[in-house]
Amino acid sequence: MQQFTEELIVSASGRKLYDITPQVKTWVQQSGLQTGLLTLYIKHTSASLLINENYDSDVLVDLEAFFNRLVPDGDPLFIHTIEGPDDMPAHVRTALTQTSLSIPVVDGQAVLGQWQGVFMYEHRHMSARRKVLMHLIGE
Amino acid sequence: MQQFTEELIVSASGRKLYDITPQVKTWVQQSGLQTGLLTLYIKHTSASLLINENYDSDVLVDLEAFFNRLVPDGDPLFIHTIEGPDDMPAHVRTALTQTSLSIPVVDGQAVLGQWQGVFMYEHRHMSARRKVLMHLIGE
Amino acid sequence: MQQFTEELIVSASGRKLYDITPQVKTWVQQSGLQTGLLTLYIKHTSASLLINENYDSDVLVDLEAFFNRLVPDGDPLFIHTIEGPDDMPAHVRTALTQTSLSIPVVDGQAVLGQWQGVFMYEHRHMSARRKVLMHLIGE
């Protein structure tokens, strides 16, 4: 049984879903593991991880439209406003999505479904350099 | 240390929570592992995984009522409508729940709490054959 | 490769986010593992797990304000009311947050980001003794 870890840096230029599927798949393949468990972990509280459709990019537009309506920037409900009108909404969006994802590895590949992509979801409007830790265990 | 993987097929006949607890528990027991980590991964973007109460079935009715109100079918907010009025809501519901679940195994059993069940949550109204990959590592 | 498991008891005195970061970090350090995977699993359906900012406590106040508005106690939508007006909302809040969390371990430490804390999120108003199973695999 072996383990591998690597930090993936995602350069985000504002609020959006960033497709990291190619980087994740390639890293799994390069490890040479045939069977195992891949874990992705994002080290932030205003950006998150999400698995969703990566075929029609309208899905990403609609996902963002939904979260924007559900957790509006500048909501007067919030008292933590010192870091800007999009900061507390970013924490809520992070709470509603994922900080970690687990994906089994079978036959040397992460077992993503046909329409599934792995996304880093940046929730702030500013640019940011986001760190995603990848961990792999198996043989 | 050993690993096991298996694909569980769940035949869904429309939007509903499907209890897969018995299949999951049985598979863990049959592996013979005493201590380990079970991961469940659903290979879809319009169906998801959820752990919630499996004692009073009214809880499942209310969960569905809540998600139906929060993410209504045919919402004019959405532009990805080509696959039907329930398709984009299905992607949002998937984003708000889980694509993967991790459950430790202790004393040869998945450590589910007394009232916890594992559910496959189908978000489309049509029938579908959903694939859940189960992965187990331990000894 | 080694495994460790331990049950962490969190005594909750009502609806609130309880910071369990110190207990989790200490337990990982005491295991002596250098590289591995930590899994946290809560054995309940009206309390959940969450990773979010643990620097400014206003963030926790705002998170609770958001969930309280999104899933109000006593919502007439719900039919499962026998356990009180906060019970079904607790199940919904659990569905919208996490029952399990996975955190890689690198250099002997859980790889939490600078502002990240691990929280047990109690969703009931009453006091409760909540069980969080910690599992560690690695070497």
Side-chain angles (χ1 to χ4, degrees):
Chain A
M1 208 70 76
Q2 286 180 279
Q3 293 185 98
F4 300 87
T5 61
E6 184 152 309
E7 195 171 78
L8 176 67
I9 304 293
V10 186
S11 294
S13 52
R15 183 178 283 176
K16 213 174 66 177
L17 288 140
Y18 294 83
D19 191 349
I20 58 172
T21 317
Q23 295 97 305
V24 170
K25 288 176 82 163
T26 300
W27 185 70
V28 170
Q29 286 160 14
Q30 286 174 346
S31 76
L33 290 193
Q34 289 306 299
T35 306
L37 180 64
L38 169 67
T39 303
L40 302 177
Y41 182 86
I42 189 163
K43 298 170 77 171
H44 303 278
T45 62
S46 49
S48 58
L49 298 171
L50 198 63
I51 289 176
N52 220 286
E53 187 185 306
N54 73 345
Y55 181 71
D56 180 356
S57 63
D58 284 352
V59 169
L60 307 184
V61 173
D62 285 352
L63 279 171
E64 173 49 33
F66 177 83
F67 280 104
N68 192 54
R69 185 177 67 184
L70 185 66
V71 199
D73 285 351
D75 193 320
L77 180 73
F78 298 137
I79 57 174
H80 175 80
T81 55
I82 195 170
E83 294 176 68
D86 61 333
D87 184 63
M88 193 57 225
H91 294 315
V92 172
R93 288 153 161 261
T94 297
L96 290 171
T97 51
Q98 318 295 325
T99 294
S100 63
L101 294 173
S102 304
I103 310 175
V105 173
V106 176
D107 295 333
Q109 310 281 344
V111 294
L112 293 168
Q114 190 179 358
W115 311 109
Q116 287 184 318
V118 183
F119 297 91
M120 193 287 283
Y121 199 168
E122 173 61 56
H123 300 296
R124 299 298 308 267
H125 291 297
M126 63 184 189
S127 293
R129 203 166 153 272
R130 301 303 195 175
K131 297 173 188 166
V132 177
L133 207 291
M134 303 190 286
H135 174 271
L136 201 42
I137 186 170
E139 63 188 357
Chain B
M1 207 73 73
Q2 287 179 281
Q3 293 185 99
F4 300 87
T5 61
E6 185 153 311
E7 196 171 78
L8 176 67
I9 303 292
V10 186
S11 295
S13 52
R15 183 178 284 176
K16 211 174 67 174
L17 289 141
Y18 294 82
D19 192 349
I20 58 172
T21 317
Q23 296 97 306
V24 170
K25 288 176 82 164
T26 299
W27 185 71
V28 170
Q29 286 160 14
Q30 286 173 347
S31 76
L33 290 193
Q34 289 305 298
T35 306
L37 180 65
L38 168 69
T39 302
L40 302 177
Y41 182 85
I42 188 162
K43 298 170 77 171
H44 305 277
T45 62
S46 49
S48 59
L49 298 171
L50 197 63
I51 290 177
N52 219 287
E53 187 184 305
N54 73 344
Y55 181 70
D56 180 356
S57 63
D58 284 351
V59 169
L60 307 184
V61 173
D62 284 352
L63 279 172
E64 173 50 32
F66 177 83
F67 281 103
N68 191 56
R69 186 177 67 184
L70 185 66
V71 199
D73 285 352
D75 193 321
L77 181 72
F78 299 136
I79 58 174
H80 175 81
T81 55
I82 195 171
E83 294 176 68
D86 61 334
D87 183 64
M88 193 57 224
H91 295 315
V92 173
R93 287 154 163 261
T94 297
L96 291 171
T97 51
Q98 319 296 324
T99 294
S100 63
L101 294 174
S102 303
I103 310 175
V105 173
V106 176
D107 296 333
Q109 310 281 345
V111 295
L112 294 168
Q114 191 180 358
W115 312 108
Q116 286 183 319
V118 183
F119 297 91
M120 193 287 281
Y121 198 168
E122 173 61 56
H123 300 297
R124 298 297 309 265
H125 291 296
M126 62 184 190
S127 292
R129 202 166 155 274
R130 301 303 194 175
K131 297 174 190 167
V132 177
L133 206 292
M134 303 191 286
H135 172 271
L136 199 44
I137 185 170
E139 64 188 356
Chain C
M1 209 70 75
Q2 286 180 280
Q3 292 185 99
F4 300 87
T5 61
E6 184 153 309
E7 195 171 78
L8 177 66
I9 303 292
V10 186
S11 295
S13 52
R15 183 178 284 177
K16 212 174 67 174
L17 288 140
Y18 294 83
D19 191 349
I20 59 172
T21 317
Q23 295 97 305
V24 170
K25 289 177 81 164
T26 300
W27 185 70
V28 170
Q29 286 161 14
Q30 285 173 347
S31 75
L33 290 193
Q34 289 306 298
T35 305
L37 180 64
L38 169 67
T39 302
L40 302 178
Y41 182 86
I42 189 163
K43 299 169 76 171
H44 305 277
T45 62
S46 49
S48 59
L49 297 171
L50 198 63
I51 289 177
N52 220 287
E53 187 184 304
N54 73 345
Y55 181 70
D56 180 356
S57 63
D58 283 352
V59 169
L60 307 184
V61 173
D62 284 352
L63 279 171
E64 171 51 32
F66 177 83
F67 280 103
N68 191 56
R69 186 178 67 186
L70 185 66
V71 199
D73 285 352
D75 193 321
L77 182 71
F78 298 136
I79 57 173
H80 175 80
T81 55
I82 195 169
E83 294 176 68
D86 62 333
D87 183 64
M88 193 57 224
H91 294 315
V92 173
R93 288 154 162 260
T94 296
L96 291 170
T97 52
Q98 319 296 324
T99 294
S100 64
L101 293 174
S102 303
I103 311 174
V105 173
V106 176
D107 295 333
Q109 310 281 344
V111 296
L112 293 169
Q114 190 179 358
W115 311 108
Q116 286 183 319
V118 183
F119 296 91
M120 192 287 282
Y121 200 167
E122 173 61 56
H123 300 297
R124 300 295 311 263
H125 291 296
M126 63 183 188
S127 293
R129 201 166 155 275
R130 300 302 195 176
K131 296 174 189 167
V132 178
L133 207 292
M134 303 190 287
H135 174 271
L136 200 44
I137 185 169
E139 63 189 356

